[in-house]
Amino acid sequence: MFKKLIRYSNKIFDLFTIIASVTDKRIKAQIPTIKIIAAIIIMHFTNQGSLNSLSQEIAFKRLKADIPSVSTIARVADTMDLEEIRAVGLEIYKKARKKKMLEPCYEMWVGVVDGHEQITSPYCKCKYCKSRTVTRKDGVKDIQYYHEFTAFILAGPKISFIVDIEPILPGEGEITSAYRLMERVCKNYPKAFSVVIGDGLYLKETVFNLLERHHKYAIAVLKEERRQLFEEANRLSLLSEPEVYRRKKTYYRVWDHSIEGSWDGYGKGVRVIASEEATPIRVHSKDGKSFEDKLNRANWMWVTNLPRSEDPCSLKNTVAICHSRWQIENQCFNETVNTWNADHVYRHSANAIVAFLLLLFICVNIFNIFRIRNIKDRSIKTKIYLIKLIGRGFHTDEIPFPLVPTIPPIPI
Ligand SMILES: [Zn+2]
């Protein structure tokens, strides 16, 4: 399976050719950067989880001559050009989109942005380290260092595509980092999406205006703190009938209000979509002998400048799009941490942490596309199992090295 994945990455995405464009700042480099990048990609694809595990595999497979040592990999990651790695990610996106491997989410191309704490460490080692004091159970106070990022993904019906990340620097909030991220993503991926969704934090006129400048619509969660919009929407809901429907197991009552003059800073009219949702579920009863039927209730409100004329067919789809915000939590943050070790610090330096993450996301994107399009074997049911098969393939197969990477001739 490992060979199959590598062949696929090369055939469809030219992966081991396009990574040749990434450089680093070593002055007299003995090992070309492409070899380092290829080693990191192999480490991520085979889910080694640490440079130590990779080093163990290198020793086991007697690949010392072909794969750089882990200390070299770590050192080079300190100065790898991040924009060039981002360009590789963009290239993968372009190829996937051209080959129709990505699909819109309920008839629209949807971007999702959110912030996340990615790693913690007891040591402060770089300029991106943020710190906080934690009190342990025995009352002793410790300083904990951590790194936070904002991430941008494209939501999709089957897979979400991780587009880019941006560090949240010490002393700044999530929104400051998100501005940089959204500016860059709008510039690099101008046609990839038409609407961007964020949580309550993104209900800011500056966010809406920034996206408007790039001809994108915005959707943000509305929470009670925004009293005026919130109360106006509630007043209107009492006066009008909702649209009622069922999607899968959930029953919806949805209101769609146009509100002007309740958001001072923005100064333009917006829509507030309110959704009351009820999902019947069956749970174990307290005595453990039988089942109980319950109703899970949830109330949501979103603010958007998406005009009704641009609505994806129906209000039903718009509500589904608003909910696709969860994909960033589930498929980007949780899954990459739980399944792909995205919270591991491979090398603690400001540059290396971002470089390893960007390369990991390139691998995860390719893996996800590979899985849904290329795995026809019905006995492979879960992602975890497929990842295991790939790791096992790397461990046991006879692999000729240098893998596929061929170093392009240096233009003189
Ligand atoms: Zn740090």
Side-chain angles (χ1 to χ4, degrees):
M1 198 53 85
F2 172 73
K3 278 188 194 165
K4 205 172 166 186
L5 176 63
I6 296 294
R7 264 203 305 270
Y8 184 83
S9 310
N10 249 348
K11 193 174 152 213
I12 308 290
F13 298 106
D14 285 331
L15 181 64
F16 289 91
T17 310
I18 56 179
I19 55 173
S21 57
V22 181
T23 58
D24 63 83
K25 292 201 176 71
R26 283 172 300 165
I27 294 168
K28 283 183 184 169
Q30 290 189 333
I31 301 170
T33 319
I34 186 173
K35 277 207 158 192
I36 314 277
I37 304 264
I40 296 175
I41 285 178
I42 287 158
M43 176 182 75
H44 285 323
F45 267 153
T46 55
N47 207 2
Q48 300 291 335
S50 71
L51 285 168
N52 266 342
S53 304
L54 179 69
S55 157
Q56 168 65 67
E57 278 295 323
I58 294 172
F60 171 78
K61 294 183 73 75
R62 302 178 204 284
L63 291 171
K64 275 196 176 158
D66 304 306
I67 296 189
S69 75
V70 292
S71 58
T72 309
I73 295 174
R75 197 164 30 82
V76 174
D78 286 344
T79 62
M80 266 177 199
D81 190 311
L82 299 178
E83 288 315 307
E84 287 167 355
I85 302 179
R86 288 190 170 106
V88 172
L90 176 59
E91 207 51 43
I92 303 288
Y93 160 79
K94 281 184 183 164
K95 289 197 160 82
R97 184 79 184 253
K98 199 171 170 195
K99 292 185 162 76
K100 300 204 175 354
M101 293 167 157
L102 302 176
E103 290 172 63
C105 186
Y106 301 100
E107 325 265 334
M108 271 193 112
W109 292 95
V110 179
V112 187
V113 62
D114 200 8
H116 186 69
E117 179 183 318
Q118 196 74 18
I119 57 162
T120 56
S121 161
Y123 313 106
C124 174
K125 286 195 176 174
C126 76
K127 62 177 185 193
Y128 290 176
C129 272
K130 299 179 105 175
S131 67
R132 64 177 156 228
T133 311
V134 277
T135 312
R136 291 201 317 234
K137 272 184 189 161
D138 53 8
V140 178
K141 286 188 166 43
D142 270 343
I143 296 180
Q144 188 184 50
Y145 297 94
Y146 61 103
H147 281 223
E148 283 183 313
F149 293 91
T150 46
F152 195 102
I153 66 159
L154 294 177
K158 291 186 189 132
I159 52 168
S160 27
F161 191 92
I162 307 171
V163 172
D164 200 352
I165 53 162
E166 175 67 23
I168 304 175
L169 303 177
E172 72 179 17
E174 178 179 330
I175 291 292
T176 315
S177 154
Y179 285 144
R180 290 196 298 272
L181 177 67
M182 287 189 288
E183 280 282 5
R184 189 170 60 230
V185 170
C186 285
K187 196 172 122 254
N188 291 348
Y189 296 74
K191 289 182 182 164
F193 52 93
S194 53
V195 60
V196 177
I197 311 176
D199 61 19
L201 217 53
Y202 293 81
L203 186 54
K204 281 195 171 0
E205 52 275 18
T206 39
V207 173
F208 275 57
N209 287 331
L210 182 151
L211 290 169
E212 226 168 87
R213 276 202 302 282
H214 291 280
H215 313 289
K216 313 288 179 209
Y217 299 111
I219 300 176
V221 174
L222 173 60
K223 294 205 177 126
E224 216 168 329
E225 305 94 72
R226 279 311 268 265
R227 304 236 28 120
Q228 222 187 336
L229 266 180
F230 190 83
E231 282 172 4
E232 181 65 12
N234 277 340
R235 259 196 298 275
L236 289 171
S237 292
L238 290 174
L239 300 173
S240 57
E241 285 300 310
E243 192 173 316
V244 180
Y245 60 86
R246 183 183 159 188
R247 183 166 230 157
K248 292 186 180 160
K249 285 181 182 166
T250 305
Y251 295 87
Y252 293 83
R253 284 157 52 82
V254 180
W255 289 264
D256 182 2
H257 307 301
S258 296
I259 298 180
E260 299 233 7
S262 292
W263 183 359
D264 276 345
Y266 187 52
K268 289 169 234 172
V270 285
R271 284 165 72 191
V272 174
I273 298 171
S275 173
E276 279 180 17
E277 299 164 13
T279 315
I281 50 159
R282 178 160 275 205
V283 292
H284 282 289
S285 61
K286 288 216 173 80
D287 59 9
K289 289 178 188 158
S290 57
F291 290 98
E292 271 175 30
D293 288 318
K294 276 192 169 178
L295 210 52
N296 259 358
R297 288 183 185 279
N299 289 330
W300 286 97
M301 274 202 210
W302 299 276
V303 178
T304 181
N305 55 1
L306 178 76
R308 282 199 186 85
S309 56
E310 298 274 336
D311 252 5
C313 299
S314 64
L315 186 59
K316 212 168 157 177
N317 275 1
T318 313
V319 170
I321 285 174
C322 293
H323 275 305
S324 66
R325 190 177 65 84
W326 283 111
Q327 288 192 12
I328 199 162
E329 201 60 50
N330 299 338
Q331 294 181 29
C332 176
F333 299 134
N334 294 347
E335 198 177 294
T336 54
V337 167
N338 297 336
T339 316
W340 292 100
N341 312 299
D343 56 344
H344 181 75
V345 187
Y346 292 89
R347 163 80 161 185
H348 197 152
S349 78
N351 199 75
I353 287 177
V354 182
F356 275 101
L357 274 176
L358 288 172
L359 288 168
L360 173 66
F361 293 150
I362 288 171
C363 293
V364 172
N365 286 335
I366 293 178
F367 169 86
N368 283 335
I369 295 172
F370 170 73
R371 176 172 171 255
I372 55 164
R373 296 184 61 96
N374 230 40
I375 300 298
K376 304 278 185 271
D377 182 349
R378 290 201 168 183
S379 67
I380 303 173
K381 292 191 192 336
T382 66
K383 267 186 199 181
I384 308 274
Y385 183 58
L386 180 58
I387 294 168
K388 266 191 194 154
L389 288 183
I390 293 165
R392 213 178 291 162
F394 177 62
H395 184 71
T396 51
D397 289 356
E398 277 294 314
I399 303 159
F401 265 81
L403 256 171
V404 223
T406 42
I407 297 139
I410 300 161
I412 301 167

